[in-house]
Amino acid sequence: ASGIFYLYYQLALKNRKFHSYNRFFLLLSIVVSATVPLISFHWLPVETSPGAPLTQIFNTLSPPENPQPENPISPGTVFLFIGLLVSFLLLASLAFNIRWIIKLKNGNNKTKMRGYTFIETDVRQAPFSFLNYLFWKKGLSLNDPSGKRIFKHELTHIMQKHSYDKLITQTVASIFWINPFYWLIHKELNTVHEFIADAAAIADGDSESFAEMLLYSHNEGSYLSPSHPFFNSSLKRRLHMISLATKTSNTFLRRIMVLPLILVVLAALSLHSKAQSPLQAKPSPVDTIPKQKMEPITVESFPTKAAQKANPSV
């Protein structure tokens, strides 16, 4: 399901200038693909036989229930343990990063503002935002044109509540880490967040100076180094979206096609094989031959040599 959604995004929605809808679609892809397979659908039963070509496909979509002997150290148990261990480590890494942000929040001066909390810090990662906290680099001027755009950029992340999207997708990807599409959707959603924030930062129409700010940074005398994530998060695509002036064609069709796409996913998950019972099985070719009524055959015995000598007329 996640693969179908991601493929549709790549073909119809990627790099289009309706970022809010793309954000909604990517979140919908995560939620639907993670929850719908947990619900048992049996809307479209299809009778199959062991030799039918589609039997394997149906069994893959909806595996039949075959009781297996209990074996606590089976390969499936080992793989399950490894999967749970990797999920635990990924979730622990996420919790560690959140804990680091909380310690950073508690260890610096905070200023309550309308709708967010302004925190000045000197860590290398600043400026960045998390939930309703804006971590600002000490010494970076808010009156400078570049500083104003960066501030508006991060403030948009807070007002749009992008941190919640990241927490949801990161948690789902950590639990179902073996699914590569969850990681791709998570990465693409972060890029869409940047598109939304960039569009808000150049709302005054001065896109050239904002693009110059993305491309240009000083190693000395600057508070943002070229290695800062702000300058390396899908930079080429961000510059393309800033300069993109053409209107996306078939906008309504691209958005509305998500409805039949969801129906296709539900239909695929609703298919389940229904094996034929012995009474419904087709007769073999031998059984189709009509049986003729056999009459009893009378066999007369031949006279022995002793009987011929006793009675020559026989």
Side-chain angles (χ1 to χ4, degrees):
S2 59
I4 292 174
F5 280 117
Y6 185 74
L7 178 62
Y8 178 78
Y9 175 84
Q10 290 288 327
L11 295 176
L13 302 177
K14 184 178 179 180
N15 291 337
R16 308 297 176 181
K17 299 201 73 172
F18 33 84
H19 308 310
S20 297
Y21 179 83
N22 284 350
R23 175 193 178 189
F24 161 77
F25 179 85
L26 292 173
L27 288 174
L28 182 71
S29 303
I30 287 282
V31 174
V32 171
S33 61
T35 57
V36 170
L38 303 179
I39 305 173
S40 179
F41 292 99
H42 296 286
W43 297 340
L44 302 173
V46 178
E47 291 187 357
T48 59
S49 60
L54 296 179
T55 300
Q56 295 298 327
I57 298 177
F58 293 144
N59 290 340
T60 302
L61 295 174
S62 180
E65 296 181 1
N66 294 324
Q68 299 292 337
E70 294 184 1
N71 186 1
I73 55 174
S74 62
T77 304
V78 175
F79 291 141
L80 177 61
F81 175 78
I82 295 175
L84 292 175
L85 179 61
V86 174
S87 297
F88 174 78
L89 293 176
L90 292 173
L91 291 174
S93 176
L94 176 61
F96 178 81
N97 292 333
I98 296 175
R99 181 174 176 270
W100 176 80
I101 294 176
I102 294 175
K103 290 180 63 177
L104 187 65
K105 172 181 73 71
N106 296 331
N108 292 276
N109 296 327
K110 298 179 286 294
T111 304
K112 289 282 186 179
M113 308 296 289
R114 181 180 298 179
Y116 68 97
T117 301
F118 186 85
I119 303 173
E120 283 192 300
T121 180
D122 55 359
V123 295
R124 179 181 58 85
Q125 292 83 354
F128 68 94
S129 58
F130 180 75
L131 298 180
N132 61 333
Y133 300 102
L134 197 159
F135 296 87
W136 192 254
K137 184 74 170 181
K138 288 183 178 179
L140 181 59
S141 176
L142 285 170
N143 298 321
D144 183 79
S146 296
K148 289 181 178 180
R149 291 186 176 87
I150 295 175
F151 175 80
K152 193 172 183 180
H153 179 99
E154 297 299 334
L155 192 60
T156 302
H157 285 312
I158 295 176
M159 297 305 175
Q160 295 279 341
K161 302 186 184 302
H162 292 167
S163 297
Y164 294 98
D165 297 358
K166 295 179 180 180
L167 289 175
I168 293 173
T169 56
Q170 183 72 46
T171 301
V172 174
S174 298
I175 296 175
F176 304 104
W177 57 269
I178 200 171
N179 186 349
F181 295 108
Y182 283 158
W183 296 105
L184 294 173
I185 292 174
H186 172 69
K187 181 180 179 181
E188 188 64 29
L189 184 60
N190 290 336
T191 303
V192 172
H193 288 165
E194 297 301 322
F195 291 162
I196 296 174
D198 290 345
I202 57 173
D204 55 358
D206 191 7
S207 59
E208 293 184 1
S209 60
F210 186 82
E212 291 177 0
M213 183 197 69
L214 291 178
L215 290 171
Y216 179 77
S217 65
H218 298 281
N219 288 326
E220 294 188 9
S222 175
Y223 303 105
L224 295 180
S225 65
S227 62
H228 190 275
F230 188 91
F231 293 98
N232 295 309
S233 56
S234 304
L235 180 59
K236 183 178 180 180
R237 291 180 60 191
R238 291 172 66 185
L239 292 174
H240 171 72
M241 294 308 300
I242 291 173
S243 60
L244 186 62
T246 58
K247 186 178 179 181
T248 303
S249 59
N250 301 322
T251 302
F252 178 76
L253 182 61
R254 293 174 187 271
R255 298 181 185 183
I256 202 66
M257 282 298 293
V258 68
L259 298 178
L261 182 66
I262 294 177
L263 294 179
V264 169
V265 173
L266 291 177
L269 295 175
S270 301
L271 291 173
H272 68 284
S273 60
K274 182 181 179 181
Q276 291 182 343
S277 63
L279 296 177
Q280 296 174 334
K282 295 181 178 180
S284 62
V286 177
D287 296 334
T288 58
I289 300 177
K291 297 181 179 179
Q292 298 179 354
K293 187 177 180 180
M294 306 297 293
E295 297 291 341
I297 301 175
T298 303
V299 180
E300 297 181 355
S301 61
F302 293 95
T304 61
K305 292 181 179 180
Q308 290 178 352
K309 288 180 179 180
N311 189 2
S313 61
V314 178

